[in-house]
Amino acid sequence: MIGRLRGTLVARTGECVIVDVGGVGYEVVVTPRDAAELPGVGEEIVVHTHLHVREDIMAVYGFVSSAARDLFRVLISTSGIGPKVAMAMLASYRPDQLRAAVATEDLDALSAIPGIGKRTAQKLILELRPRLADLDAETLVGSDESPTGRIREALEGLGYSPAEIRTVVGSLPADAPLQEQLRQALQTLGRR
């Protein structure tokens, strides 16, 4: 299995990037969000990958974070979810947002994903909720060095439960400064 690639970004073509690793160019399918986060062509990159093998095709799916890759693996192990739908889910939501949508049974958020209707969203919640609960929350959200990890650590220090923190962290705007995210999290938790 190909779990990670480190090499030079050679090209971007639609939903794929080509990574040159030791003279071999790997075509890697990525989400638009991950493609935007990658550095420019000619620069060195690291992509966490999943090799998907079917009888008619082998495809490498790539992610900026290992958390997104791990969530992708959980998603494709769910009945009715293939790699294309899983990539659409990860293109629509960050791993922590997707996990929060499942945990809070947010049918509207899940059915807003291309290829998923209300009925499929209900099925996803039933199948994914126990699987996502088994995963370590820090794996999907990030390390303590990430802004989300630091907010989680601060809220845990204030005595909030992991369930309360998961629900709030998934709704925070990713582009807001750390202090603003923490302020919003405390306001949301204070209303409950």
Side-chain angles (χ1 to χ4, degrees):
M1 171 119 19
I2 300 171
R4 190 181 94 158
L5 294 173
R6 173 178 291 208
T8 305
L9 181 61
V10 177
R12 295 174 195 257
T13 57
E15 59 188 33
C16 293
V17 295
I18 298 177
V19 182
D20 184 306
V21 180
V24 177
Y26 290 91
E27 186 175 77
V28 181
V29 179
V30 295
T31 64
R33 178 182 297 132
D34 282 350
E37 288 185 34
L38 292 174
V41 172
E43 295 186 41
E44 184 173 311
I45 63 169
V46 174
V47 183
H48 301 274
T49 61
H50 173 80
L51 175 63
H52 189 75
V53 179
R54 289 190 339 214
E55 57 187 57
D56 60 338
I57 192 169
M58 287 179 29
V60 178
Y61 293 89
F63 310 91
V64 172
S65 71
S66 60
R69 182 204 48 209
D70 295 343
L71 181 56
F72 175 81
R73 289 176 174 167
V74 170
L75 293 173
I76 63 172
S77 69
T78 305
S79 68
I81 302 295
K84 284 187 180 183
V85 174
M87 290 299 278
M89 293 173 80
L90 291 169
S92 300
Y93 298 105
R94 293 186 326 262
D96 55 333
Q97 292 173 324
L98 191 55
R99 182 181 177 136
V102 171
T104 60
E105 298 184 18
D106 190 348
L107 289 175
D108 293 331
L110 292 173
S111 60
I113 298 168
I116 296 181
K118 290 269 189 200
R119 203 167 264 192
T120 305
Q122 290 172 333
K123 182 180 169 191
L124 278 175
I125 288 169
L126 288 175
E127 289 191 39
L128 286 176
R129 185 176 249 187
R131 291 180 185 189
L132 293 180
D134 290 344
L135 287 179
D136 179 24
E138 290 302 315
T139 302
L140 290 177
V141 175
S143 70
D144 288 341
E145 297 305 314
S146 71
T148 305
R150 292 176 69 193
I151 290 169
R152 176 178 296 285
E153 186 177 296
L155 294 174
E156 285 174 353
L158 292 171
Y160 290 102
S161 72
E164 290 174 311
I165 294 169
R166 264 194 310 274
T167 303
V168 172
V169 166
S171 66
L172 297 175
D175 56 344
L178 179 65
Q179 293 171 336
E180 176 63 22
Q181 288 184 24
L182 184 57
R183 186 183 68 71
Q184 287 183 20
L186 290 170
Q187 281 181 338
T188 302
L189 288 167
R191 286 188 217 127
R192 293 182 180 182

